[in-house]
Amino acid sequence: MDPEAVRKYSALHAKPDGLVLQYGTAGFRTKAERLDHVMFRMGLLAVLRSKQTKSTIGVMVTASHNPEEDNGVKLVDPLGEMLAPSWEEHATCLANAEERDVWRVLMDISEKAAVNLQQEAFVVIGRDTRPSSERLSQSVIDGVTVLGGQFHDYGLLTTPQLHYMVYCRNSSGRYGEATVDGYYQKLSTAFVELTKQAFCGGNEYRSLKVDCANGVGALKLREMEPYFSQGLSVQLFNDGTKGKLNHLCGADFVKSHQRPPQGMEMKSSERCCSFDGDADRIVYYYSDTDGHFHLIDGDKIATLISSFLKELLVEVPVYCTKTGVKHLHHKAQEFDVGVYFEANGHGTVLFSKAAEMKIKQLAKELEDKKRKAAQMLANVIDLFNQAAGDAISDMLVIEAILALKGLTVQEWDALYTDLPNRQLKVKVADRQVISTTDAERQAVTPPGLQEAINDLVKKYKLSRAFVRPSGTEDVVRVYAEADSQESADSLAHEVSLAVFQLAGGVGERPHPGF
C-alpha cells in the first residue's frame, strides 16, 4: 500500500467542497455527478474489508428505484449480506474525509478494525443500466487497484445477482456457481422441479406480465427465460428499449401510486408484477372485472409464502422490526426458517444451515408423503436467493406456490383484506430531526409530533398513522390507514402537514390530492 499513489489517485477523484453524505440502509445515494469520489473511496474500503474478513467483498453501483439521474453504491459482505453496521460508520467517515485526510482515515480504519494490511484482497463489482454506472464502476476499480486489491468486474447485474456471486465465492461453490449462468441454472432447476408437482392442469396459472422498470431486470429476465420457459411464460414491459429508468413504472411507482405502470395494458384477472430498477423488489397486481386496480404488496407476498411453509412445517411466529431490509434480515437470521418482506416488495426467505441440511437429508430418507413435503422444501431452499431480496427469485417462488396450491390471483388477494391506506413523502431540511421507537411506530422527536399524530388518528375510524425518516433522501415517509380511502387520504394529508410544521418542512406545503 503506497500512500503517495493513494493521494495521487484520490486527487483525480476529488471530493466536491461542502458535500456530506451518509451511508444508510441502501448505501450512498445522490445525484450521479456527486459520486465519483465516493466510488473511488468505496473501492479503497472494499479492499480493507476484504483483508479484514479474508473474504471476497462486493461493490454494487446502483440507486435502485431512484430516478435515472441518481446513482449510488453499496458494499456486500461475505455471506451476501449487507455491510456490517460498524463498517457503515467507516464508509461515512471515509466518504466525507477532506482530500488531505484520506490516507489518515484509511489507516485509522485499519487500526480500529484490526486489518492485516499484508492480507490479499479480492473485490467483485456489478452495476445497473444507468448512463453513469459504467464510469462510476471504473472509479471503484481505481480504488481497488491502487491499494493492490484484485477484482472481477461482472458488468451489468441485478443487485441480488451480485449478492449471489459474493456468497458463492465465499462458500467455495457450495451455495452455487459464481456466474450468471450458475445463477440461472440454480433457480430455474429448483423452479421446474417444484412446479412438476403442481396439480393444476394446462397453462392456466403459467402466464405473467412483468414490468421491468426499464432496468437491468429486463436484460437478465430475458436471458433467463429459456431456462424456465417450460414452467412459466413471461411477457416483458418497460424493458429498457424506450422510456427512462423507473419513470412512471417499476415497483416503487406502482406501490406508491397504486396504479398500473405506463405502457402495460391489463386485462381482467391477468397476473402482473413489477420489479424496481435493480430487481431487488417485486409487487403483484391485477384488475378485476369492474376495472378496479388491486395491489398485492410485500405483506401479501409474505403471507402467501408463510402459509405455504406452515403447511409443510409447524409454527410461524410474527415479529416487528424497524423499517429497512437489514433489520428484517438480522431478525430472520435468529430462526431456522425466516420469512421477511417489506410492503414495498423487498424480501426473501432464509434457512439456517442446520435446517437446510436436515431438510435435504429428510428428502432422501422419509416415506413417500413426508418425503414429498421435504423435497418441496428442499426445492424452495434452492429457489430462494438467500443472500438478498431478489425480484426474479421471489417471482419464481410465488408462481410455483400459486401453481402448487391452485390459487388464482384473486384468491391470493382474498387471503386477507387490507384497510385502505396512503403513503406520502414530506420534504424536510434534515431527516435526522425525526427519531422513532417501537419498530418505528412511535415518533420520539421532534417534541409534540407524536401527540399531534395521536390527536389526528382519534378523528378517524379503524385508523393509525406512522412517520419515519427516509434512509436514502431528506424526506419523511408518512403512512396512514383508516376505514375508507377518503379517510386514509385525509389522515395522511393531515399528518403530512404536522410533519411539515414540526419537523422543518421545505418547499411547497403538502396539499390534498398528492
Side-chain angles (χ1 to χ4, degrees):
M1 292 174 57
D2 181 350
E4 287 307 314
V6 171
R7 292 187 183 103
K8 177 182 175 181
Y9 269 83
S10 186
L12 298 175
H13 301 279
K15 173 181 171 291
D17 290 338
L19 180 61
V20 176
L21 298 172
Q22 181 172 359
Y23 195 105
T25 300
F28 291 110
R29 285 189 195 169
T30 187
K31 297 297 181 187
E33 62 267 21
R34 297 177 169 182
L35 280 168
D36 181 57
H37 75 291
V38 173
M39 298 295 176
F40 171 74
R41 296 178 186 192
M42 290 307 100
L44 301 175
L45 191 71
V47 170
L48 295 188
R49 183 62 170 158
S50 178
K51 289 175 179 290
Q52 192 231 15
T53 59
K54 300 179 182 178
S55 303
T56 296
I57 296 296
V59 180
M60 184 69 197
V61 177
T62 182
S64 189
H65 57 278
N66 282 34
E68 188 175 276
E69 297 76 19
D70 292 355
N71 217 318
V73 60
K74 63 180 180 179
L75 273 63
V76 180
D77 256 0
L79 296 182
E81 71 270 52
M82 280 175 260
L83 187 63
S86 61
W87 280 76
E88 290 183 5
E89 296 176 14
H90 296 326
T92 298
C93 185
L94 182 58
N96 294 322
E98 295 303 322
E99 204 64 47
R100 63 183 178 276
D101 297 326
V102 170
W103 179 258
R104 179 185 59 78
V105 172
L106 284 173
M107 293 301 99
D108 287 348
I109 294 169
S110 299
E111 184 177 345
K112 290 177 182 176
V115 177
N116 176 5
L117 297 178
Q118 305 308 312
Q119 175 69 36
E120 292 184 353
F122 196 87
V123 177
V124 293
I125 302 159
R127 68 176 190 269
D128 69 12
T129 55
R130 295 166 195 272
S132 61
S133 289
E134 186 170 5
R135 172 179 58 82
L136 293 175
S137 290
Q138 185 57 53
S139 299
V140 174
I141 291 170
D142 287 351
V144 172
T145 55
V146 77
L147 281 189
Q150 301 297 307
F151 71 92
H152 179 80
D153 182 7
Y154 280 99
L156 293 172
L157 287 181
T158 69
T159 294
Q161 285 176 333
L162 185 73
H163 285 256
Y164 168 88
M165 302 304 174
V166 173
Y167 196 3
C168 288
R169 285 176 175 269
N170 289 317
S171 65
S172 302
R174 290 189 302 275
Y175 185 67
E177 181 186 330
T179 64
V180 173
D181 185 68
Y183 170 91
Y184 296 155
Q185 290 279 8
K186 179 177 181 179
L187 270 61
S188 297
T189 300
F191 173 75
V192 171
E193 287 299 314
L194 195 56
T195 52
K196 279 181 182 177
Q197 302 172 64
F199 54 80
C200 58
N203 61 359
E204 183 179 358
Y205 303 101
R206 306 296 179 86
S207 179
L208 178 67
K209 289 184 173 181
V210 185
D211 157 35
C212 297
N214 290 315
V216 68
L219 302 178
K220 299 306 175 181
L221 189 56
R222 183 173 283 117
E223 288 177 0
M224 187 177 181
E225 185 179 7
Y227 292 77
F228 62 74
S229 58
Q230 67 187 85
L232 178 66
S233 171
V234 294
Q235 185 178 0
L236 307 189
F237 296 84
N238 299 312
D239 63 356
T241 55
K242 57 183 179 179
K244 293 180 67 174
L245 178 69
N246 295 322
H247 180 61
L248 302 178
C249 60
D252 192 59
F253 172 84
V254 172
K255 168 66 177 171
S256 300
H257 293 81
Q258 299 193 31
R259 68 172 192 245
Q262 181 175 280
M264 178 187 284
E265 291 187 13
M266 293 172 57
K267 296 179 182 178
S268 173
S269 303
E270 283 184 326
R271 277 194 330 287
C272 306
C273 69
S274 286
F275 297 172
D276 66 340
D278 64 339
D280 67 355
R281 296 183 183 186
I282 185 171
V283 294
Y284 270 68
Y285 44 92
Y286 69 98
S287 176
D288 64 23
T289 54
D290 295 324
H292 295 138
F293 177 81
H294 293 258
L295 176 70
I296 301 179
D297 64 10
D299 295 338
K300 286 198 171 177
I301 293 172
T303 301
L304 176 72
I305 295 169
S306 297
S307 63
F308 175 71
L309 293 175
K310 187 174 183 179
E311 292 173 6
L312 303 176
L313 299 168
V314 181
E315 184 180 1
V316 181
V318 178
Y319 292 85
C320 292
T321 74
K322 292 173 64 177
T323 303
V325 72
K326 68 179 180 183
H327 302 295
L328 292 165
H329 189 92
H330 291 150
K331 175 57 72 172
Q333 287 178 316
E334 297 176 12
F335 303 92
D336 286 330
V337 182
V339 181
Y340 71 82
F341 276 84
E342 295 181 283
N344 61 29
H346 193 173
T348 189
V349 175
L350 297 181
F351 293 83
S352 71
K353 288 302 173 190
E356 180 177 346
M357 291 173 62
K358 184 66 174 177
I359 288 167
K360 291 187 174 181
Q361 186 64 30
L362 290 174
K364 300 175 183 177
E365 295 177 353
L366 293 176
E367 68 247 27
D368 286 348
K369 184 176 180 180
K370 290 182 179 179
R371 183 172 67 245
K372 182 178 179 181
Q375 287 172 338
M376 281 185 172
L377 275 173
N379 286 321
V380 169
I381 289 170
D382 287 339
L383 186 47
F384 271 110
N385 182 354
Q386 295 186 60
D390 184 339
I392 294 175
S393 167
D394 294 342
M395 177 193 79
L396 294 176
V397 171
I398 291 164
E399 292 301 314
I401 293 173
L402 293 177
L404 286 162
K405 294 176 70 68
L407 289 175
T408 65
V409 67
Q410 298 95 326
E411 290 168 335
W412 174 19
D413 190 25
L415 289 177
Y416 69 86
T417 302
D418 275 315
L419 283 170
N421 61 82
R422 178 65 63 189
Q423 296 186 64
L424 300 176
K425 295 192 292 188
V426 182
K427 290 185 179 181
V428 294
D430 178 11
R431 66 182 184 271
Q432 302 302 323
V433 74
I434 299 270
S435 63
T436 63
T437 188
D438 189 21
E440 297 183 327
R441 290 176 288 190
Q442 294 282 317
V444 177
T445 61
L449 178 57
Q450 187 58 52
E451 290 76 10
I453 294 171
N454 293 343
D455 290 341
L456 291 170
V457 165
K458 291 175 184 176
K459 295 167 55 177
Y460 300 91
K461 296 179 180 178
L462 299 177
S463 64
R464 58 180 183 161
F466 314 125
V467 301
R468 67 173 181 87
S470 168
T472 58
E473 54 186 325
D474 275 324
V475 300
V476 175
R477 300 191 183 276
V478 174
Y479 173 86
E481 65 183 31
D483 65 331
S484 69
Q485 191 62 58
E486 182 181 4
S487 293
D489 291 347
S490 178
L491 176 57
H493 171 62
E494 290 193 279
V495 172
S496 295
L497 284 175
V499 169
F500 189 89
Q501 292 163 358
L502 296 172
V506 296
E508 189 176 352
R509 290 167 60 87
H511 56 83
F514 321 113

